[in-house]
Amino acid sequence: MPERPLVWLLSAYRSESHASWVNWLSNQQDLPVRFRIFELPGRYFRWRIRGNPLSWMAEFRDALRQECPHHILATSMVDIATIKGLHPELAGTPVTLYFHENQFAYPVGDRQHSSIDPQMVQLYGALASERCLFNSRFNLESMLQGVAELLRKLPDAVPDNVVDQLRAKSSVLPVPVDTVNIDTVTIDTTPEKIDSAPVILWNHRWEYDKRPDRFEALLDAVGSRDIDFQLALLGPRPSKVPVELSRIRTRYADCIIADGMVPRVEYEALLRRARVVVSTADHEFQGLSMIEAVSAGAIPVVPDALCYREQYPDCCRYTPGDVDDAADRMTDALLNGQKVDISRWTTVSTRELWRNLMTYFSLPAGVTEVTNGSNSWDFYTG
């Protein structure tokens, strides 16, 4: 039996979501391709997005002496245009660029230096790739809108139809999210661990783009309505404790049932206990932690923006930045909310689309796999 075609899987920034994607793909059985994985740690963002071709240069040269890849699947943090320039052997290798995020819609923090470089890396990478995949339609559309806005600002010699070229080779394919198996999760029901008050869950990074300040304001608004609740304050946080977290710890000390990163078994148990999971984010391209929590039965309360419009019904979405509207949605969810079906965004629905993509990767060069006139891996048309 001939050996399966080789796919290079390149991830230049091994953050939590990128790592779970790589791990899921590499653990799939009976795929028609085999992977060689190249990753770099998820730190020093500016250096990673510009420096990954240099960091990998010697490693790629050694790998190419052994075997050239049949296809490359790279995250959008990978400077694939430069990599192809440094390694002529890869000039004809087709590339699929996967966008977990795009730098055109990523908010810049107060202490961050604004630079066009990350956007140009992704633009050149998209143009140099055979196809571009995005984890949500919001991600795709905000990328194309951002490219159009950037091109309008450039002084001269700007080619026509760049956005049209990108749209023609772009489609949506979400990161697979495994559901929480509520039948196997054990919940501690001892009196000191659980009472009748419903649990509000926060399971995001405690960083500027997730807007913990809005979460704090929302808790205060809900608390002022004399509604009892408990708090599970999860998600990674920086070494210097955010001021919002400090104030929440002080103000709601008697309500907190969990605070910090916890083992997976405990994490799933807390998801299962949660009545509500909340997002106050300024940016979210797929919202993996929200999908996980909703799959376990938590009711989402999210901004009416970003990827959330594709995922959750109107009753779960509040006007962005409107604390009173968010508090109304939260109150209703705590007292009367109905669970939401998020199965379309979980592995049970997306696994086969990813397998279709891997089948495409295994085909001889120049062959196009089409199903009913559309790509068989496309989330919306496949």
Side-chain angles (χ1 to χ4, degrees):
M1 178 180 294
E3 195 164 26
R4 292 169 297 162
L6 176 65
V7 173
W8 277 13
L9 182 51
L10 311 183
S11 180
Y13 198 82
R14 189 179 166 84
S15 61
E16 189 171 355
S17 62
H18 293 213
S20 65
W21 173 73
V22 170
N23 294 342
W24 185 88
L25 274 176
S26 60
N27 288 329
Q28 296 307 295
Q29 302 298 313
D30 301 323
L31 291 178
V33 298
R34 55 195 167 92
F35 292 114
R36 180 158 186 177
I37 299 171
F38 300 87
E39 294 180 288
L40 293 169
R43 57 177 181 261
Y44 310 129
F45 169 81
R46 295 287 176 182
W47 162 236
R48 283 289 174 266
I49 198 165
R50 292 299 288 124
N52 59 83
L54 189 61
S55 299
W56 275 325
M57 187 165 63
E59 192 174 1
F60 283 1
R61 286 176 178 168
D62 290 341
L64 287 167
R65 291 189 191 102
Q66 302 168 32
E67 184 181 5
C68 286
H70 184 73
H71 202 102
I72 294 174
L73 174 59
T75 69
S76 60
M77 285 281 294
V78 174
D79 186 355
I80 199 66
T82 298
I83 285 171
K84 284 203 165 195
L86 290 173
H87 304 279
E89 306 95 319
L90 298 175
T93 303
V95 174
T96 295
L97 199 63
Y98 191 78
F99 285 79
H100 292 268
E101 47 74 34
N102 78 78
Q103 291 300 308
F104 294 88
Y106 208 104
V108 177
D110 293 338
R111 292 176 294 178
Q112 290 184 318
H113 171 64
S114 179
S115 168
I116 196 176
D117 278 358
Q119 296 178 353
M120 296 306 295
V121 167
Q122 294 193 331
L123 175 56
Y124 289 143
L127 291 169
S129 298
E130 185 180 46
R131 72 187 51 77
C132 302
L133 299 177
F134 295 79
N135 57 4
S136 68
R137 190 179 296 283
F138 165 72
N139 193 358
L140 189 162
E141 295 297 339
S142 61
M143 165 76 173
L144 297 182
Q145 179 181 347
V147 169
E149 292 172 357
L150 172 64
L151 296 179
R152 283 196 292 270
K153 296 175 183 177
L154 301 182
D156 64 3
V158 178
D160 296 329
N161 304 318
V162 170
V163 172
D164 291 339
Q165 292 178 45
L166 295 179
R167 183 178 293 280
K169 58 181 175 181
S170 295
S171 53
V172 175
L173 180 55
V175 171
V177 181
D178 291 331
T179 58
V180 175
N181 189 340
I182 61 177
D183 295 326
T184 60
V185 173
T186 301
I187 301 176
D188 191 338
T189 57
T190 54
E192 62 271 20
K193 290 289 184 180
I194 189 168
D195 60 25
S196 59
V199 174
I200 298 172
L201 170 70
W202 167 283
N203 58 342
H204 316 286
R205 290 180 285 105
W206 289 80
E207 296 184 20
Y208 72 95
D209 56 308
K210 302 303 182 183
R211 297 302 299 264
D213 57 320
R214 291 179 181 167
F215 177 56
E216 178 190 9
L218 175 55
L219 290 179
D220 290 345
V222 173
S224 69
R225 302 181 181 194
D226 294 326
I227 297 173
D228 291 332
F229 56 79
Q230 299 178 100
L231 284 174
L233 306 176
L234 308 182
R237 61 280 313 266
S239 54
K240 182 179 179 180
V241 178
V243 293
E244 298 87 357
L245 177 56
S246 294
R247 289 194 293 258
I248 290 171
R249 284 171 169 171
T250 299
R251 201 169 301 148
Y252 300 100
D254 294 339
C255 303
I256 296 172
I257 61 171
D259 184 3
M261 300 291 287
V262 297
R264 182 68 193 186
V265 172
E266 185 178 346
Y267 176 73
E268 291 191 355
L270 288 166
L271 296 191
R272 183 68 182 91
R273 285 180 59 181
R275 176 75 60 81
V276 172
V277 57
V278 63
S279 170
T280 51
D282 264 346
H283 106 272
E284 196 67 82
F285 295 104
Q286 185 178 346
L288 305 186
S289 60
M290 289 292 300
I291 294 172
E292 272 191 325
V294 175
S295 80
I299 301 164
V301 175
V302 298
D304 183 21
L306 314 171
C307 63
Y308 300 130
R309 290 177 175 171
E310 302 168 60
Q311 298 166 330
Y312 305 116
D314 292 347
C315 62
C316 297
R317 306 197 310 261
Y318 60 86
T319 304
D322 188 332
V323 175
D324 289 336
D325 189 24
D328 289 344
R329 311 280 174 164
M330 176 80 80
T331 300
D332 185 63
L334 288 169
L335 301 179
N336 311 301
Q338 299 295 313
K339 294 180 181 180
V340 172
D341 181 7
I342 196 65
S343 60
R344 187 163 184 261
W345 288 80
T346 66
T347 303
V348 67
S349 296
T350 57
R351 178 190 287 111
E352 194 61 29
L353 298 177
W354 280 97
R355 294 189 70 87
N356 291 344
L357 181 67
M358 296 303 114
T359 298
Y360 175 80
F361 286 175
S362 72
L363 296 175
V367 176
T368 302
E369 177 74 6
V370 174
T371 302
N372 296 327
S374 60
N375 294 327
S376 60
W377 56 81
D378 187 276
F379 184 63
Y380 285 104
T381 63

